Amino acid sequence: MIAIKAENLTRRFGKFTAVDQISLEVERGEVFGFLGANGAGKTTAIRMFCGLIKPSAGDAWVGGISIRKSPRSIKKRIGYMSQKFSLYEELRVSENLDFFAGAYNLSVSEAEKRKDEIVRQFQLEDFTDRTTKSLPLGWKQRLALGCAMLHRPEILFLDEPTGGVDPVTRRNFWEMIHNLAAEGTTVFVTTHYMDEAEYCHRISIMNHGEIAAMGQPAELKKQYDKETIQEVFVHLIKSDLC
Amino acid sequence: MNAMDTPVILVEDLVKSYDQVSAVKSLDLEVVSGAMYGLIGPDGAGKTTLLRVLCGLLTPDSGEVQVLGFNPITELARIKDAIGYMPQRFSLYPDLSVAENMRFFADIYRIPKQERIERTERLMQFSRLEPFKDRMAHALSGGMKQKLALSCTLMHTPKLLILDEPTTGVDPVSRVEFWNILRELKDQGVTILVTTPYMDEASLCDRAALMYDGKILAEGTPDQITERYPNKLIRVITEEAHSAAEALKPNEAFESVELYGDRVHVAVRETARGIDLIKELLGRNNVTYDSVAKCEPHLEDIFVHLVKQEE
Amino acid sequence: MLGILPVIRKEFIHIWRDPRTLAIIILMPILQLFIFGYAIDMDVRDIKIGIMDQSRTPASRELIQKFTGSGYFEETVAIQKRAEIEDLFRSRKIKAALIIPVDYAKSIKREGVTSVQVLIDGSDSNTGSIVLNTTRQLLAGASFEISNINRLPMQITSTIWYNPEQESNHFVVPGLVAVLLMMICALLTSITITREKETGTMEQLLVAPLKPYQIIVGKVLPYVVLASVAATIILLIGRFWFKVPFTGSVLLLATLSIIYLVTALAFGILISTIARTQQTAMMMALMATMLPSVILSGFVFPVASMPLFLQGIAKIIPATHFLFIIRGILLKGNDISVLFPYVIYLAALSLLLLVISVKRFKVRLD
């Protein structure tokens, strides 16, 4: 089953083409790494998938819904977590979960049930009464992921979820991602850590609004005869910077 | 006395806490002239606090600090002209253009006009920002912003360059390029102290310190740090890295089993026995593999090992 | 001193790059000037009055003529029944009602004494009290004539000096200059300094060989220029559009305005040493400078009519002192010898605030 599909998806801002006719397909339960240089158009593409901005041309289907025709109905099917962990720092962990449960319109009984599940799944038991700002970065990251998962989204968009987090916590985070994927959640993730790209089932590398390469990490390394994804990336994007 | 041996930065038993959190706990550091020194660690390790103390922006609770032979708290004015500091947050003026930002920094360091023009031209070429010189700083991409910030910091040709996570949030290509620029500066004799959360960047430094929770866990040349790893490391390369890690994890014969992308790193006490055991376990769990072989530990292996020991 | 120049240069670029803020700084006071000048007109003219003439005699018509001919009132309705009056007040068709009794003319002739009733809408207390005073004057005049006293033992004439037509514009323009200078200098400078703290650029400036005074003076000077330009525009519009008289020396006004500017700047700088974010700085500046300058300085409400406690506060506020200076120079043509105490107060206050700010300005982040 196809979770995300893009066909010639394009977005222009004035004369500047941020996303230039990209096409891709992501299977249900797949962890898809969406890589690219700064300013290559990743964020624009993700915002289109989430129904936040309209494509200039082409279309994409997220959970089978066209982003062009019904961008609003996409929101119930997806979870989104960004680098800046959009949590309320002054609220307690449980209050943040309450808020997002409310924001996604969960019924009272459903909200209680999901909160318990999320707290258990992300091992937040010892932290529920602490204010969010007092949490170490790694735990904030778990909470942010928990909040994004409250409404059982089929598809999870993660925008640089691991920036600044220590290697041990990053490792644990990726383990959680893979567990979610094993349960059928589709994960669409961007990162600047090239070692993390290797954890993905498939990756694409974006450059100047276009997809320069796409495939399984092992395939790509073979295709370009490189040792690591880092080298593949540098090879593809090289000198034409910024 | 050889100039290379003079410590440019000397920190002894530094303690600094604020907001009731101890950010730096009893830390020693020595950076010699001309070195490229890396402070490697995640967010919250205390790297920024340490750098701010060195720049005279924070007063230490206790301990000795010397920068270029002076105390940065009491004698800051004497070293200001010799230090270039690039804070972690992009701290240039977003509504000023690339050229205007550079001009401002040249002016506050009182660079004469002729020199300013020459240096601006050189730095523009060096950072390849020339085509963008009239673009507003807020319209630059992440990598360009960092290069601009560095160029502004270099305007007064400092002897000591202190950079706080210059490559965070920067794509791999720009990171490589940024490090190339740092290497050139080092060759010109500039002493560089740089922090980074990317473990792989430690290998680009002459010396590095692994920082975690306000302390230095290990210090030395990248090779010296890797030598501190007490175990032998076996690398399993497989298409099914995830299942391989699952299959190996429950075993007590291994010191640790860590997933690194498409490979699994297994720490063992004895190489040969370890390899046999791994192969046997993978076979028993029907996990196919390309290779199971000894490998050299990476800084990340050591960091993970040291952090686990710490906890 | 040279370290200031690059900071000034940069600050000017910030100002030009943000034309919206610039427009607000220049246009807002002009807008305020016209609002205060026209809409909130404190002079009473053409008050709508309803008249119920039950007497219908030449004597009563004469009284009515006194009201409508005075220029203060305009007759809008001739009231037939008392019951109509309340509706007229409610529907705001009239602000006052004059009721002349049936026996008005008769009583005058027979007893030499009579009474009329005046009803006033008190919901707008300002207009109300003015209407009340005007009515009293008109009635007093009328009763002298009726009671056949041809000559009063003493003729009372009141003349208002300095603002003979009681034009509120003449008060508003100087007041607006006082508020405006306080606003631009205190509010904008506190915001521009805290912005550098908030965005992290201050960290870099502190590491550079700049002295705190160079950072502050360099950031503040462009706003002095801006404030002076805006104040000049206000004064020119006041002079040529609203015909505010310029009795005193313009040079003296300019010199003393600079002292007031410094006081306002000192306030702004002090706020920036306390506030951590632009938002806090803005709230603090509004509370500490703008509100008192508008409400307590004598700009809108006369200080003398305030409770003692507020009068005390009014005496501390720099704008109160500057209002004495600017109104003194513009309307009365005062020279420095009269204004000296106010000038001394402003200078002393500026010095105190600047010393505190420089002490408080942190060269470190902790």
Side-chain angles (χ1 to χ4, degrees), chain C residues 38 69 107 115 129 137 182 215 227-228 253 268 276 294 310 325 335:
Chain C
Y38 285 117
S107 311
S115 62
S129 60
Q137 277 174 28
M182 186 49 94
I215 300 177
S228 311
L253 179 63
R276 275 165 181 268
V294 173
L310 289 181
I325 295 175
D335 60 29

Side-chain angles (χ1 to χ4, degrees), chain B residues 90-129:
Chain B
F90 174 69
S91 67
L92 297 169
Y93 299 97
D95 54 340
L96 264 58
S97 69
V98 169
E100 284 164 346
N101 267 298
M102 287 172 79
R103 161 96 196 255
F104 176 65
F105 280 90
D107 287 346
I108 60 174
Y109 281 93
R110 299 179 307 273
I111 311 293
K113 188 176 175 198
Q114 195 50 45
E115 224 172 299
R116 182 189 80 218
I117 293 168
E118 283 168 22
R119 229 173 269 168
T120 308
E121 200 176 320
R122 217 178 53 224
L123 284 171
M124 290 267 196
Q125 278 172 0
F126 182 62
S127 57
R128 288 196 254 159
L129 284 169

Side-chain angles (χ1 to χ4, degrees), chain C residues 197-252:
Chain C
K197 283 206 256 180
E198 211 180 324
T199 56
T201 42
M202 190 58 94
E203 199 172 338
Q204 195 118 47
L205 294 186
L206 292 176
V207 171
L210 281 174
K211 298 195 174 59
Y213 86 86
Q214 290 173 320
I215 300 177
I216 288 176
V217 176
K219 287 192 69 67
V220 151
L221 271 179
Y223 290 95
V224 174
V225 175
L226 211 58
S228 311
V229 170
T232 311
I233 294 177
I234 294 295
L235 286 174
L236 287 176
I237 295 178
R239 178 75 191 87
F240 295 106
W241 184 271
F242 291 106
K243 307 276 189 271
V244 176
F246 271 40
T247 323
S249 150
V250 175
L251 189 70
L252 181 67

